[in-house]
């Protein structure tokens, strides 16, 4: 299906039957949604990979894999977050980057994930059949270098269906719907892609908690139009980067997107929230939930500050460390199935949640705001 440069808002709204919005999907009736307290969400499973990092945790387990998801499920977290794209033969697959790289005979080859068929996509990296050898999987760094994707514990690429079938059933899924930042999509194309994802969710989600999210504002609104079973959050970097689409450039714009589209919440880059803490009350007054993502969420103190501020949850890379930190700071005893020990009476920790005055919170927010400028 060809892409054309056209604003979705300029495309006339046609009857649902034209796009087949109601055909073939058997999602359950709408249910009320509320995050289970302060939520810790595993980023791409147990954490994203940073290939050149000196921190082994950033290269421990292959991100966005069944192995990574089930590794995260060993800890008392509520959700994992992962990225879904749709292949050219309409199969939702889990992969973050727009492009996938491989090297053959000394030449690096680049392919857009959405231009591949499912069978072509699955040829990269380790294969499920041990006797088969896949294409060398590589990745482009932020500096533009193409490096071999080496991790301590590798795993094969996977589909959304496989995640529903093979990941611990009690673990919620935060499904990020991935679209190109520089592409303007027409409505018909977005509907086609989103229906492919929703069909898999309809067939395999069962009772698993699911949240949809997307940086693409029109896709976020459309997935809310297409179904009312699962909550939809709008992703924003809240001004840390400037985009041609003004709706992506601030928390105030994000609130407006949610209110116009009937969305349930916002996922913001954490620095954007610390720089603009007044937006939290506006988000709450709009009856929206607020999650955050970003490197600061791997710092226990920054996570605790968000808990104090009333943020609903954080997406983190260092799942084990943040769970341990929040368990102690928030005095949230882990369930009996948790691998973390429960605090004993002799532990030198507080037994109640500390209270902060508004003046103290304002001071801490100003301090944080100054710190993240550097």
């Amino acid at each position: 299906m060809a892409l054309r440069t056209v604003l979705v808002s300029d495309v006339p709204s046609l009857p649902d039957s034209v796009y087949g919005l109601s055909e073939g999907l058997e999602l359950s009736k709408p249910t009320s949604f509320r995050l289970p307290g302060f939520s810790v969400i595993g980023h791409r499973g147990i954490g994203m990979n940073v290939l050149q990092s000196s921190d082994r945790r950033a290269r421990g387990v292959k991100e966005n894999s069944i192995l990574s998801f089930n590794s995260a499920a060993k800890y008392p977290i509520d959700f994992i977050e992962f990225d879904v794209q749709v292949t050219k033969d309409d199969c939702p697959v889990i992969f973050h980057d727009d492009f996938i790289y491989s090297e053959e005979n000394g030449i690096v080859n680049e392919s857009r994930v959405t231009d591949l068929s499912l069978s072509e996509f699955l040829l990269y990296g380790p294969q499920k059949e041990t006797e088969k050898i896949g294409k060398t999987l590589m990745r482009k760094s932020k500096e533009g270098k193409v490096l071999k994707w080496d991790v301590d514990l590798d795993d094969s690429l996977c589909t959304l269906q496989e995640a529903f079938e093979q990941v611990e059933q009690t673990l919620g899924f935060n499904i990020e719907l991935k679209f190109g930042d520089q592409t303007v999509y027409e409505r018909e194309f977005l509907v086609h892609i989103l229906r492919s994802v929703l069909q898999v969710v309809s067939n395999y989600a069962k009772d698993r908690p699911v949240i949809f999210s997307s940086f693409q504002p029109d896709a976020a609104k459309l997935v809310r139009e297409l179904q009312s079973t699962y909550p939809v959050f709008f992703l924003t970097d809240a001004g840390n980067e400037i985009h041609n689409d003004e709706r992506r450039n601030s928390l105030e714009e994000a609130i407006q997107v949610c209110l116009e589209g009937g969305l349930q919440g916002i996922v913001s880059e954490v620095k954007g929230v610390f720089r603009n803490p007044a937006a939290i009350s506006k988000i709450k007054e709009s009856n929206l939930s607020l999650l955050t993502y970003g490197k600061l969420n791997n710092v226990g103190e920054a996570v605790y500050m968000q808990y104090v501020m009333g943020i609903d949850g954080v997406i983190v890379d260092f799942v084990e460390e943040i769970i341990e930190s929040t368990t102690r700071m928030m005095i949230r005893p882990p369930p009996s199935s948790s691998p973390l020990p429960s605090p004993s009476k002799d532990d030198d920790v507080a037994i109640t949640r500390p209270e902060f005055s508004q003046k103290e919170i304002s001071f801490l927010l100003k301090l944080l705001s100054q710190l993240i400028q550097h």
Side-chain angles (χ1 to χ4, degrees), residues 4 105 135 353:
R4 287 189 289 138
N105 298 324
K135 293 183 177 181
R353 174 180 172 173

Side-chain angles (χ1 to χ4, degrees), residues 81-85 174-181 185 190 193-194 197 211-224 231-237 245 247-248 254 257-258 263 265-268 291 293 315:
E81 179 272 352
F82 55 79
D83 310 276
V84 168
Q85 304 184 57
N174 174 8
I175 300 174
E176 181 186 336
L177 303 162
K178 292 280 293 185
F179 294 93
D181 283 341
Y185 299 92
L190 288 175
I193 294 300
L194 294 174
V197 176
I211 296 171
F212 290 110
S213 63
S214 183
F215 282 104
Q216 220 292 342
D218 297 311
K221 290 181 178 180
L222 266 176
V223 79
R224 180 72 177 127
V232 182
F233 283 45
F234 180 52
L235 271 157
T236 178
D237 53 22
D245 190 332
R247 297 172 295 177
R248 299 187 57 184
V257 169
C258 291
L263 311 186
I266 294 169
V267 186
S268 173
L291 303 173
Y293 72 93
I315 299 173

Side-chain angles (χ1 to χ4, degrees), residues 193-232:
I193 294 300
L194 294 174
R195 279 184 54 82
S196 297
V197 176
L198 288 172
Q199 191 65 66
V200 173
V201 176
S202 173
N203 292 342
Y204 298 98
K206 300 179 181 177
D207 295 326
R208 188 191 299 273
V210 172
I211 296 171
F212 290 110
S213 63
S214 183
F215 282 104
Q216 220 292 342
D218 297 311
K221 290 181 178 180
L222 266 176
V223 79
R224 180 72 177 127
E225 286 184 39
L226 288 165
Q227 59 82 45
S228 57
T229 302
Y230 303 108
V232 182

Side-chain angles (χ1 to χ4, degrees), residues 97-167:
D97 301 352
D98 293 337
F99 291 90
I100 193 167
Y101 297 87
S102 186
E103 185 178 41
E104 187 175 0
N105 298 324
I107 299 173
V108 174
N109 299 306
E110 170 191 278
S111 298
R112 185 178 287 275
V113 172
T114 53
D115 288 340
L116 300 173
S117 67
L118 174 62
S119 59
E120 291 169 335
F121 172 76
L122 294 177
L123 286 176
Y124 291 84
Q127 300 295 288
K128 294 180 176 63
E129 300 84 1
T130 54
E131 68 276 7
K132 291 185 178 180
I133 299 176
K135 293 183 177 181
T136 302
L137 183 58
M138 307 186 77
R139 186 179 216 177
K140 181 177 282 189
S141 68
K142 288 186 176 181
E143 296 74 29
K145 296 180 180 179
V146 179
L147 307 166
K148 187 175 180 182
W149 200 329
D150 280 328
V151 291
D152 294 337
L153 297 174
D154 213 340
D155 198 13
S156 56
L157 301 180
C158 66
T159 66
L160 179 59
Q161 176 181 332
E162 288 173 325
F164 276 117
E165 292 175 327
Q166 298 175 31
V167 175

